[in-house]
Amino acid sequence: MSPKQQRGEATVEQVLDAALDVYAASGEQGLTVSAITGASGVSPGSLYHHFGSLDGLVTALALRWVGRLLDELVAALGRTRTARSGIRAVVRTYLEFVRDHPDAARLMHSATADRYTMTHAGRIRDSQEARLSPVAAWIRGRVESGELAPLPEPLVESLVLGPVVGVARRWLSVGDVDLEEAARTLPDRIWRSVSP
């Protein structure tokens, strides 16, 4: 990588870090070009050069953290031997990620992220394909072996992640959920919905 490319990547990381800090302090309404450039020390021109727009920056920020979450989920699945232990690992890993990175999790579960996801689901899936393929292969392998109910992969994924995402959103927005209790309780409940 050339020095210019290294500087460009460093600038992108600097802006993304600053944007998350601004989001944490001021919420979605605080994510403005002037707030982010002020926090990052990067010029507006540089921000537009790297991200195209404020929406592009917010999208890049959300995708950065979605990628990190997916990396952790794939790693957790890789350490399991059975479908049931895989579900337990996914639930625990997801909820620990939310607990450990609440600002990023809040952004990933925000209305802005939801709107973008609904509008650009195919593009997001394509951009995360390398991370999603192992999850799909894990599901497919467990369905084919009879460890999971013979359901389409997207349905299994929804049955497993739906309750976890719901608990995460509740904890992030209301705060009245005990994540440790959820990590203990959800895997068995989810298992009932996807076991053969």
Side-chain angles (χ1 to χ4, degrees):
M1 183 181 309
S2 73
K4 183 177 180 178
Q5 289 171 318
Q6 289 175 343
R7 284 191 307 274
E9 283 193 16
T11 298
V12 166
E13 293 300 312
Q14 182 178 342
V15 171
L16 290 174
D17 289 342
L20 185 61
D21 290 343
V22 169
Y23 178 80
S26 307
E28 288 184 53
Q29 67 280 2
L31 279 176
T32 64
V33 170
S34 63
I36 295 167
T37 56
S40 67
V42 171
S43 72
S46 185
L47 186 146
Y48 286 111
H49 169 75
H50 290 289
F51 300 101
S53 66
L54 183 59
D55 284 345
L57 180 136
V58 173
T59 299
L61 181 60
L63 288 176
R64 172 199 218 192
W65 285 97
V66 166
R68 290 178 181 180
L69 171 59
L70 288 172
D71 287 344
E72 290 189 25
L73 292 174
V74 168
L77 280 174
R79 293 187 296 269
T80 64
R81 295 174 146 281
T82 66
R84 193 170 192 162
S85 65
I87 288 168
R88 186 173 296 110
V90 164
V91 171
R92 179 159 293 284
T93 300
Y94 196 110
L95 294 179
E96 286 174 356
F97 183 91
V98 168
R99 182 200 62 216
D100 294 345
H101 308 286
D103 297 327
R106 200 167 280 109
L107 174 69
M108 291 167 40
H109 294 88
S110 70
T112 298
D114 284 347
R115 280 191 303 276
Y116 183 82
T117 300
M118 295 300 286
T119 307
H120 304 286
R123 195 162 83 186
I124 293 168
R125 197 148 189 92
D126 290 346
S127 74
Q128 300 295 330
E129 184 60 35
R131 291 177 169 112
L132 292 169
S133 291
V135 175
W138 185 88
I139 293 170
R140 189 171 37 259
R142 297 310 186 265
V143 168
E144 289 171 357
S145 72
E147 284 186 83
L148 291 175
L151 300 168
E153 290 168 32
L155 187 53
V156 172
E157 182 183 316
S158 296
L159 288 168
V160 172
L161 288 178
V164 182
V165 170
V167 165
R169 285 180 186 271
R170 179 84 183 214
W171 183 78
L172 290 163
S173 62
V174 180
D176 63 350
V177 175
D178 180 333
L179 290 183
E180 282 302 314
E181 179 184 358
R184 285 189 307 272
T185 306
L186 281 179
D188 289 336
R189 303 290 177 162
I190 292 170
W191 176 248
R192 291 180 199 162
S193 69
V194 295
S195 62

